[in-house]
Amino acid sequence: MKEQVLALLTASKGEYISGEAIADKAYYRDTSICFAVVEDGVRSIGSKAFAESSIEQITLPASVTYIADDAFSGVSLEYVNAKKGTYAYSWMRDQGYITEYRALVIGEQSFLWFYDDDDPDNGSWMDKKDQRNAGDTIAFTAALGEVTGPDGAYGPEESAFQVTREINLSYYGVRDAIKTTFADTREQDISVFFIATHGDEQRDGELRMAFTGNYYDSASVREYWEHRELSFRTLASWLTSYVKGRVFVVLESCGAGSAIYAGTEEQNSAVRLKAAPLGKAPEDGDGEAKSEAFVKKAVEAFSNEDPGISSTTMEKRDAWSLPRSTGDLRLPKFYVLAASRHQEMSWGYETFETETSYNFFTRWLTEGIGNKDKSPADEDHDGY
């Protein structure tokens, strides 16, 4: 077996291709070619040029302005290096060979609180002091900025994610940010939606949006009261409608975590032993029950909404991203992380300075993601 592997490696070859064109069937069914670097000046790649070959990696220059539809038929490329904005990049992306990574990171900190939630005209006050959620967005954005992509969409040494960071969005502001950030996603893309805000396990489970209106305008206050709660079900439907490909959802909310513990440590320890059936609102003080209900409702909402992704449209993706399959296998679209239980509390260190405030859930999550120099999540030390 060892001799066969060595023979295969010896037989594999790379090509540096120059000239003006790669002819039709130039490497058709070539089972020894491993990679190709197409040099600047090459303008076209002909019909079945690399079809049914063993090529796994290719570098394409900006000079390429035509690639035949069947140039790479029957090929599973694992790495494509092409500059974004070029014809080659667009063509390869349309074929599913290039993945893009996007993230929308939202921190909500400007809340309007009512003395009586059943009557917003009964009195209210603004809370703008809490900086933890904004601090979370800084930490999470920095962590994503040090994640390296596996397939060279932006080059193996560069950041993989395009991050959009927003602070204090209204109910519809969240929807509009999702539409804008993920407007040109494709089925092979990987996206992250992160939000740090207040939350509640009531009804379908919901997140609380920031107040963006005029505090002294009663109509603005009433409008906020009617649209301050974003349910998990609605959020899942927006992400389904406006984002193609897989979505990693991170919910950092005080609706799940130690922020809901109001008693002593002894009382909290007793509370953690309690549980509430899914769909039944726990009694006041049942911290663990509320935490469990919040997380279960989040997972339930996204599971029920999840349309899945068909692998039949993804056959050309690399093995890291999706399995190569010709069957009608449907993969999950949503992967959900939510703060839960006391040890993963969505509460944290408040200094009233954005840069140094944080919630523990986000802090530990970003430490797990790590960076290029030290990444505890990268157990096999391959840089991903």
Side-chain angles (χ1 to χ4, degrees), residues 13-25:
K13 66 178 181 179
E15 292 284 342
Y16 288 80
I17 305 172
S18 59
E20 292 189 1
I22 299 177
D24 295 350
K25 295 187 175 181

Side-chain angles (χ1 to χ4, degrees), residues 131-140 165 354-358:
Q131 299 293 320
R132 290 174 292 110
N133 293 345
D136 286 344
T137 66
I138 293 175
F140 196 74
R165 178 175 170 266
T354 302
E355 291 78 7
T356 54
S357 296
Y358 56 81

